[in-house]
């Protein structure tokens, strides 16, 4: 459902843009539908290469090429609008895709020159408040020759909502910078909560790591976890990474809806180092490396069960940001399962699958013959949803550079482990 709503937002944004930017709206209902269809196609265009494991068209560099392809397609069905105008309009439609990704889950604007993703997270990728006015205005506006005003109204309502969210985000960040004194703030990340209408934030100063949340209007800031850590600087250059002691929560997940108990499932850093590297690259930004554990806590913060995460991985663990775990039941036993991943390549990441049993124990769900799953995930580097085929089967896909093709596999639960289908 999340992917469907996300795609509908891109489609509605592209179609709305094509409609309001056309100087001459076609008189024929069928021709107006073609305009909206190709505009929506342009709005979705950058995602099509994801089926081949790449983000080739998620770039302003390639935006004119994508617009040109859409203009050629539209030219087959409609010649009343000049080709140059079509090219410009559909290029802007493609740009709406990049804008929505930028305010949602991030986008690599300068791909393939620079693969780093930039983001200004103010909405979830499936936010219905963005979608509803656009979709409703399109459904009404397409029936009328003068329907452009209706579509403009939908666009303006959505933009006003996004503007309000951006204002609340800036208000929250300014309040946090004032509270912790701007000159001491080293990094600050604010993002919408995946499960509630509120903000989550992660802030580090030269002495403290802070995690917390705020209501949507940034008027009630609550600190969930504030961990001071000692800093020691060697007088000789280069400066060593900051040493972190004590638990630091990098993923805090309310699982009350799954267990009907006020429990939180967390990924916590016990000890390690915090460092920053701003040179362009896939791991650009802040880095947390060290010892991590999966912890089940009650609403008072008491640990119910815990397990050392590093024991399941052969390589050192590194996380660049906070994240939410993606929960589902993949083997049909009624317990919640979740993936935890690490960066792999530009085509995907390496994930392991875990479960929280009915006895509140964490266990790895093994995949026969594989130590980990390489998946071309687009939602999160550190935890992704698996595509379910049925109650005990899931599918994974990724782009294989060696063969130059997209690979798909299905895995079914045999009672003990997941087995790859032939």
């Amino acid at each position: 459902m999340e992917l469907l709503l996300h795609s509908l937002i891109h489609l509605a944004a592209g179609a709305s843009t094509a409609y309001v930017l056309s100087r001459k709206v076609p008189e024929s209902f069928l021709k107006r539908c073609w305009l909206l269809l190709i505009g929506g196609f342009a709005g979705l265009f950058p995602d099509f290469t994801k089926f081949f494991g790449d983000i080739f068209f998620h770039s302003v560099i390639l935006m004119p090429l994508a617009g040109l392809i859409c203009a050629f397609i539209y030219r087959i069905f409609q010649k009343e609008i000049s080709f140059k105008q079509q090219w410009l309009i559909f290029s802007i439609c493609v740009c709406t895709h990049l804008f929505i990704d930028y305010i949602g889950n991030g986008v690599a604007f300068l791909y393939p020159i620079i693969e780093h993703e930039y983001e200004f997270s103010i909405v979830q990728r499936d936010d219905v408040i963005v979608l509803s006015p656009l979709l409703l205005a399109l459904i009404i506006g397409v029936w009328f020759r003068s329907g452009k005003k209706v579509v403009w109204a939908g666009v303006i309502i959505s933009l006003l909502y996004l503007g309000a969210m951006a204002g609340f985000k800036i208000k929250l960040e300014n309040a946090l910078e004032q509270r912790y004194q701007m000159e001491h703030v080293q990094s600050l990340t604010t993002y919408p909560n995946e499960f509630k209408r509120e903000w989550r934030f992660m802030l580090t100063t030269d002495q403290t790591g802070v995690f917390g949340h705020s209501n949507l209007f940034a008027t009630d800031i609550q600190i969930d976890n504030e961990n001071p850590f000692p800093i020691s600087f060697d007088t000789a250059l280069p400066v060593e990474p900051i040493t972190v002691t004590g638990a630091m929560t990098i993923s805090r997940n309310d699982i009350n809806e799954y267990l009907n108990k006020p429990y939180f499932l967390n990924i916590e850093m016990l000890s390690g180092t915090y460092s920053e590297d701003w040179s362009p690259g896939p791991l650009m930004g802040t880095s947390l490396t060290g010892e991590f554990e999966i912890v089940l806590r009650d609403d008072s913060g008491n640990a119910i069960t815990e397990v050392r995460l590093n024991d399941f991985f052969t390589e050192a663990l590194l996380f660049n940001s906070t994240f939410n775990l993606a929960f589902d039941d993949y083997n049909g036993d009624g317990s919640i399962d979740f993936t935890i991943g690490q960066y792999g390549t530009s085509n995907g990441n390496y994930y392991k699958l875990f479960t929280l049993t009915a006895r509140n124990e964490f266990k790895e769900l093994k995949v026969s013959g594989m130590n980990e799953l390489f998946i071309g995930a687009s939602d999160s580097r550190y935890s992704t949803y698996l595509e379910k085929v049925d109650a005990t089967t899931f599918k994974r896909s990724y782009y294989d550079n060696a063969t130059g093709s997209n690979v798909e596999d299905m895995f079914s639960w045999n009672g003990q482990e997941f087995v790859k289908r032939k």
Side-chain angles (χ1 to χ4, degrees):
M1 179 61 73
E2 178 187 1
L3 180 59
L4 174 62
L5 290 175
H6 180 65
S7 299
L8 281 175
I9 291 174
H10 284 309
L11 188 148
S16 299
T17 301
Y19 200 80
V20 299
L21 293 184
S22 296
R23 294 182 181 177
K24 184 178 181 182
V25 176
E27 296 183 4
S28 164
F29 171 75
L30 181 60
K31 289 182 178 181
R32 289 199 297 273
C33 288
W34 274 117
L35 176 64
L36 296 182
L37 179 64
I38 304 303
F41 175 79
L44 284 170
F45 195 95
D47 272 347
F48 293 144
T49 55
K50 282 187 176 180
F51 291 106
F52 304 99
D54 207 336
I55 54 172
F56 190 70
F57 280 103
H58 283 72
S59 170
V60 293
I61 299 172
L62 297 171
M63 181 184 68
L65 175 59
L68 184 64
I69 294 172
C70 294
F72 272 118
I73 296 174
Y74 184 69
R75 192 68 173 174
I76 298 173
F77 307 100
Q78 174 64 269
K79 296 181 174 61
E80 293 180 6
I81 304 174
S82 71
F83 183 78
K84 289 184 179 179
Q85 185 183 359
Q86 292 171 12
W87 185 6
L88 176 62
I89 290 172
F90 293 131
S91 294
I92 297 174
C93 292
V94 175
C95 191
T96 65
H97 186 110
L98 307 185
F99 171 72
I100 291 169
D101 280 357
Y102 174 62
I103 62 174
N105 56 313
V107 62
F109 280 121
L110 301 177
Y111 186 88
I113 298 174
I114 298 176
E115 295 188 6
H116 174 68
E117 290 191 352
Y118 300 90
E119 62 178 328
F120 184 70
S121 297
I122 56 176
V123 293
Q124 289 295 330
R125 62 201 302 264
D126 58 347
D127 195 318
V128 293
I129 301 180
V130 177
L131 173 63
S132 299
L134 292 177
L135 198 57
L136 181 61
L138 284 172
I139 293 172
I140 297 174
V142 70
W143 289 96
F144 304 100
R145 175 68 175 80
S146 58
K148 184 184 289 191
K149 293 180 180 179
V150 178
V151 180
W152 261 120
V155 171
I156 291 172
I157 291 172
S158 292
L159 289 177
L160 286 174
Y161 168 67
L162 294 177
M165 293 299 292
F168 295 141
K169 177 186 177 78
I170 294 172
K171 177 182 177 182
L172 173 61
E173 292 181 347
N174 288 338
L176 290 170
E177 288 174 346
Q178 291 178 10
R179 176 180 294 192
Y180 291 94
Q181 300 181 4
M182 184 181 297
E183 62 270 20
H184 297 294
V185 175
Q186 295 182 339
S187 66
L188 173 58
T189 303
T190 57
Y191 54 95
N193 191 333
E194 183 177 355
F195 304 105
K196 299 179 181 179
R197 284 283 171 180
E198 65 176 16
W199 298 102
R200 303 289 302 176
F201 61 83
M202 172 184 175
L203 177 146
T204 60
T205 70
D206 50 7
Q207 295 183 345
T208 309
V210 183
F211 295 85
H213 66 279
S214 165
N215 62 6
L216 203 61
F217 306 105
T219 57
D220 182 23
I221 299 175
Q222 300 291 328
I223 305 300
D224 297 330
N225 198 343
E226 184 170 348
N227 295 304
F229 46 84
I231 308 171
S232 59
F233 293 97
D234 192 341
T235 55
L237 295 177
V239 177
E240 293 296 325
I242 297 171
T243 300
V244 181
T245 59
M248 176 180 288
T249 304
I250 62 172
S251 180
R252 178 176 168 85
N253 306 272
D254 187 345
I255 57 173
N256 180 62
E257 63 177 295
Y258 302 103
L259 303 185
N260 292 320
K261 296 179 181 179
Y263 286 173
F264 293 85
L265 201 162
N266 299 342
I267 308 298
E268 299 179 4
M269 181 177 181
L270 300 179
S271 63
T273 60
Y274 165 90
S275 62
E276 296 183 2
D277 182 2
W278 298 104
S279 57
L283 301 178
M284 174 181 175
T286 60
S287 295
L288 294 171
T289 59
E291 301 295 317
F292 298 86
E293 67 178 3
I294 313 174
V295 187
L296 181 66
R297 295 188 182 276
D298 61 23
D299 55 350
S300 297
N302 301 310
I304 299 170
T305 187
E306 54 198 352
V307 65
R308 187 173 180 270
L309 183 59
N310 299 67
D311 292 340
F312 298 97
F313 290 82
T314 57
E315 303 292 335
L317 296 178
L318 183 152
F319 296 94
N320 288 109
S321 64
T322 59
F323 60 97
N324 292 317
L325 292 173
F327 296 106
D328 210 323
D329 179 11
Y330 298 110
N331 60 357
D333 65 355
S335 298
I336 58 171
D337 308 326
F338 55 96
T339 54
I340 298 179
Q342 290 285 277
Y343 174 75
T345 70
S346 59
N347 291 326
N349 307 300
Y350 294 101
Y351 296 92
K352 283 184 174 289
L353 184 56
F354 297 89
T355 188
L356 175 63
T357 69
R359 295 183 178 180
N360 290 336
E361 297 176 336
F362 292 113
K363 292 185 177 180
E364 180 181 359
L365 296 179
K366 296 287 188 178
V367 179
S368 179
M370 296 185 180
N371 187 46
E372 56 208 357
L373 286 169
F374 183 77
I375 303 175
S378 59
D379 49 356
S380 172
R381 175 182 296 177
Y382 300 122
S383 186
T384 186
Y385 289 99
L386 303 178
E387 183 179 349
K388 295 180 67 173
V389 177
D390 55 43
T392 59
T393 304
F394 68 84
K395 180 171 67 174
R396 67 96 179 248
S397 62
Y398 64 92
Y399 181 76
D400 188 347
N401 283 327
T403 61
S405 60
N406 199 51
V407 177
E408 288 189 350
D409 299 311
M410 288 192 291
F411 299 84
S412 295
W413 183 253
N414 66 2
Q416 299 295 326
E417 62 183 0
F418 284 99
V419 179
K420 183 178 177 180
R421 282 188 181 180
K422 295 183 180 180

